[in-house]
Amino acid sequence: EILRLFKLGQIDIVHLGPLPYVILKNSYPQAEPVAAVKEPDGKATYTCAMVTAFDGPTSVRQVHRSIAFSQPLSTCGHLTAGYLLYRYGIKLENLHHEYLGNQDQVALAVVKGNYEVGTMKAAVAKKYTNLTLRIIEETPAFPGFLLVANKVTVTPDQISTIRKILLSTPPKDFGGLVLGRYGFSPVVDSSYDLIRQNLRFSR
């Protein structure tokens, strides 16, 4: 719905994960990346993980039953699962899967044994290790979330000004931000090639 409204010109700037950004850019060239949002470790990248309960599979190659995702366009959803399963010759479509809304719900459902495995950001998974959630395998570092401007509704000068302000914000001012509290980085579009190459796993 957000991508649809963006393409209709009803959204000027949007905060997207890497997979939704690539999907949007493929169909709407007027999407202009403004700045990448840094993670708590100060990097503009993150990894996704396949997780299970304490008595679940010890390897991705043992996964054969069910998998839980947060949302259809989550980078740590179909794309991550397909990427990891493909390496072991397992087809995602052979597994029962459901969308649970957010990654915290995925973690809790997997811990309860409602699903054999789930996928989520590795940083989220690590919050639930005290509930015996285990990471089976992680992806390579994916490019991070980013702010994207709509060139149909935002002028080039406005985009340039916003980008300069975000990238020049001193660290002492990060604490007052909700989005971007760890800072911003320039967007390197080629870093999203890894997502583009594995886009087939999100379908």
Side-chain angles (χ1 to χ4, degrees):
E1 180 65 7
I2 290 172
L3 300 187
R4 184 182 72 82
L5 293 175
F6 188 92
K7 289 190 280 189
L8 288 175
Q10 296 182 29
I11 295 177
D12 299 318
I13 299 178
V14 66
H15 176 227
L16 294 176
L19 177 58
Y21 162 67
V22 167
I23 291 173
L24 175 64
K25 188 72 172 176
N26 282 351
S27 62
Y28 190 75
Q30 296 87 347
E32 175 69 18
V34 178
V37 181
K38 291 183 179 180
E39 297 288 320
D41 62 2
K43 299 177 181 177
T45 61
Y46 65 92
T47 61
C48 299
M50 183 173 288
V51 301
T52 191
F54 75 98
D55 57 350
T58 58
S59 167
V60 174
R61 62 167 47 92
Q62 296 174 348
V63 177
H64 66 280
R65 185 163 46 87
S66 60
I67 187 166
F69 300 128
S70 57
Q71 299 177 25
L73 290 186
S74 170
T75 306
C76 292
H78 267 87
L79 184 139
T80 287
Y83 172 81
L84 294 176
L85 291 167
Y86 179 79
R87 298 174 64 191
Y88 296 93
I90 302 170
K91 294 182 178 181
L92 177 58
E93 57 264 32
N94 291 339
L95 303 179
H96 171 73
H97 70 272
E98 292 183 350
Y99 301 105
L100 305 185
N102 64 53
Q103 297 184 19
D104 294 300
Q105 290 172 310
V106 172
L108 294 175
V110 172
V111 167
K112 292 176 183 177
N114 296 341
Y115 299 89
E116 187 177 27
V117 294
T119 56
M120 63 190 63
K121 287 179 72 171
V124 174
K126 290 169 184 174
K127 294 193 308 181
Y128 288 91
T129 54
N130 63 323
L131 295 181
T132 71
L133 193 72
R134 291 188 295 109
I135 292 177
I136 303 176
E137 194 165 332
E138 288 186 47
T139 65
F142 287 143
F145 282 68
L146 69 167
L147 292 173
V148 182
N150 193 334
K151 290 194 290 186
V152 172
T153 63
V154 185
T155 69
D157 285 346
Q158 288 174 321
I159 294 173
S160 178
T161 298
I162 294 169
R163 181 182 289 121
K164 287 177 182 176
I165 291 173
L166 293 178
L167 296 180
S168 64
T169 299
K172 65 181 179 64
D173 293 336
F174 292 161
L177 301 176
V178 175
L179 175 65
R181 66 175 67 93
Y182 305 108
F184 300 90
S185 292
V187 174
V188 180
D189 188 74
S190 61
S191 66
Y192 291 84
D193 287 346
L194 179 60
I195 301 296
R196 296 183 178 102
Q197 292 162 10
N198 295 304
L199 189 58
R200 64 189 185 278
F201 295 134
S202 67
R203 296 171 178 171

